[in-house]
Amino acid sequence: MTSPVLAAPRPVREPARDEDSGAWSAGFSVTITGDEPVFAGHYPDFPIFPGVCVMECVRRAAEAVMPPGAEGARLAAVESCRFLTAVHPGDELGIELSWSPRGEDWRCAARVETERGRAASIRLSYRREDPA
């Protein structure tokens, strides 16, 4: 699948495991430039980076740092998604990820911020493919 988003997540904090909870966390940064194709029609004279594109940045970051045991897992569901602040060209997205096991599945919770504050909270569910 080809992503409609040109911006690529860059790691800013290496994945680390919390010994108490077993959760894995990592940090990413994404620069949103005016070159994004979605700005052509979203919206003239007031460009806004669509929420689904913010979610795509989170998905790409999450899949770049899957924790041990989650290898081969695929996105199964968007558990929740809350958009709080508009994202515009020139914004820098800070993405903080937290992976936690859910039985055989995994949850990835993301906090997305810009310089104006929190832009989104997103929870994704990942399921390991059945090898059979």
Side-chain angles (χ1 to χ4, degrees), residues 22-71:
W24 286 81
S25 64
F28 283 81
S29 181
V30 180
T31 302
I32 307 302
T33 68
D35 296 342
E36 291 291 339
V38 297
F39 289 135
H42 205 266
Y43 294 96
D45 300 323
F46 191 70
I48 296 175
F49 197 58
V52 70
C53 293
V54 173
M55 194 167 25
E56 171 66 358
C57 290
V58 168
R59 182 197 67 82
R60 290 170 66 193
E63 293 177 8
V65 293
M66 293 181 129
E71 301 93 349

Side-chain angles (χ1 to χ4, degrees), residues 41-123:
H42 205 266
Y43 294 96
D45 300 323
F46 191 70
I48 296 175
F49 197 58
V52 70
C53 293
V54 173
M55 194 167 25
E56 171 66 358
C57 290
V58 168
R59 182 197 67 82
R60 290 170 66 193
E63 293 177 8
V65 293
M66 293 181 129
E71 301 93 349
R74 297 209 180 258
L75 181 63
V78 176
E79 291 182 3
S80 70
C81 196
R82 185 173 203 183
F83 301 106
L84 304 165
T85 302
V87 176
H88 302 283
D91 280 347
E92 188 77 22
L93 298 181
I95 301 174
E96 285 295 320
L97 301 174
S98 177
W99 281 91
S100 55
R102 297 286 187 259
E104 294 295 315
D105 298 335
W106 288 83
R107 173 183 286 162
C108 183
R111 177 183 174 124
V112 182
E113 295 190 355
T114 69
E115 60 276 0
R116 290 178 304 283
R118 188 181 292 189
S121 295
I122 299 170
R123 275 197 330 257

